[in-house]
Amino acid sequence: MKIDEILVGITDGSYIKDLQTSSTWKAVGCEQCNNIGYKGRIGVFEAIRSDESLEELLKTNPSEREIRKATKSQNILSMAEDGVIKVLKGMTSYEELERVVELE
Ligand SMILES: [Zn+2]
């Protein structure tokens, strides 16, 4: 399953400690959400901490892959990883995550 493949990429175990991985939730509509199954919005995030070496790298117009490599030690979650964690916490559905983030 895609979720497992994405979870494998999370190297910092603290992100997934105590996270249940056996089930995901499906959106079921009700009166309160006008039968769409979602209420409110949450974000999925990805951010990197900048420092001098990264600033130098950015001057070279690096690819996304090169930036990822240079910031690997920061153990930052990708949007897909952040999103999958939110799916497993029941904050949203896998279908909704798939709709907004490219899960490759
Ligand atoms: Zn509802």
Side-chain angles (χ1 to χ4, degrees):
M1 192 183 179
K2 195 97 208 209
I3 286 184
D4 296 316
E5 288 168 31
I6 293 169
L7 285 177
V8 166
I10 300 177
T11 48
D12 184 344
S14 65
Y15 286 117
I16 48 176
K17 192 173 155 280
D18 301 328
L19 190 69
Q20 70 81 28
T21 55
S22 55
S23 55
T24 60
W25 280 258
K26 281 219 180 314
V28 180
C30 67
E31 217 168 85
Q32 284 188 46
C33 63
N34 291 321
N35 295 310
I36 53 174
Y38 300 96
K39 198 161 197 282
R41 281 166 187 245
I42 58 162
V44 286
F45 301 104
E46 179 171 332
I48 51 175
R49 205 168 35 241
S50 187
D51 58 18
E52 235 171 86
S53 65
L54 186 62
E55 276 167 29
E56 286 304 313
L57 176 69
L58 289 175
K59 286 177 190 166
T60 67
N61 193 24
S63 68
E64 190 179 333
R65 194 179 54 80
E66 287 170 317
I67 295 173
R68 242 172 228 297
K69 201 172 153 200
T71 55
K72 203 170 190 312
S73 65
Q74 293 186 23
N75 282 323
I76 286 156
L77 297 175
S78 69
M79 278 201 283
E81 291 165 350
D82 185 42
V84 160
I85 287 172
K86 284 170 175 159
V87 166
L88 292 172
K89 285 181 175 170
M91 294 164 73
T92 190
S93 67
Y94 183 77
E95 288 71 22
E96 181 66 4
L97 177 65
E98 205 171 29
R99 195 178 66 79
V100 297
V101 176
E102 197 177 333
L103 299 178
E104 283 317 316

